[in-house]
Amino acid sequence: MIQKIDHIGIAVRSLAEARSFYEQALGLTCERIETVDSQQVRTAFYTCGEVHLELLEATDPESPVAKFIARNGEGVHHIAFRTDGIEAQLRAAESAGTKLINAEPVAGAGGNRIAFLHPKSTHGVLMELCAPSGDASTD
Ligand code: CO
């Protein structure tokens, strides 16, 4: 079951430059910087109430985030839903005819297991499902 919006992913060209906006202009505090190899990104996390912001900087020019920026420029990249059962959620989406980018969960930031749904199936929004790695239903 989807529990809440966990975070909004924002593609940026330079984490350092974007951080200076988020920290100096908005006054937010960066909680952690983390490289996520499976997604070829370096991320910076901020908390805004119950929702996090995940800034994404590509670590490889051929990575999905680099291609996204080349196509669309910087901006909102994905919306992530927290679910208490990522496998079941993925199978339900698949059964409903949704095109999956990740047929099985992969390692995401913050020790989460994540999987993306293709924007062609979601009315134009890249969607991520995420669950803590301790999620029993994913074992
Ligand atoms: Co994300």
Side-chain angles (χ1 to χ4, degrees):
M1 200 140 126
I2 285 177
Q3 299 168 313
K4 62 172 190 168
I5 291 179
D6 183 84
H7 64 266
I8 298 168
I10 299 166
V12 302
R13 285 197 176 85
S14 157
L15 212 51
E17 284 176 25
R19 282 188 61 189
S20 112
F21 168 76
Y22 281 86
E23 290 163 38
Q24 285 162 36
L26 298 185
L28 296 172
T29 303
C30 180
E31 288 171 13
R32 63 176 197 277
I33 303 284
E34 184 180 349
T35 298
V36 183
D37 292 330
S38 72
Q39 305 301 316
Q40 298 172 292
V41 288
R42 215 154 61 91
T43 65
F45 266 88
Y46 297 86
T47 296
C48 242
E50 289 206 1
V51 176
H52 305 281
L53 297 175
E54 175 186 42
L55 304 186
L56 306 152
E57 176 193 71
T59 56
D60 186 293
E62 294 302 311
S63 66
V65 165
K67 287 178 181 165
F68 174 91
I69 289 176
R71 226 175 20 244
N72 309 297
E74 296 181 298
V76 173
H77 178 260
H78 66 270
I79 293 177
F81 295 101
R82 177 163 292 272
T83 170
D84 57 4
I86 193 166
E87 290 285 1
Q89 202 79 50
L90 263 179
R91 297 289 76 85
E94 191 173 40
S95 299
T98 307
K99 188 172 178 204
L100 308 179
I101 291 176
N102 303 108
E104 299 298 333
V106 298
N112 284 319
R113 302 178 76 214
I114 65 171
F116 284 96
L117 309 182
H118 200 286
K120 277 185 180 151
S121 291
T122 64
H123 302 267
V125 179
L126 177 60
M127 290 182 181
E128 174 188 329
L129 301 173
C130 68
S133 53
D135 177 356
S137 67
T138 65
D139 293 336

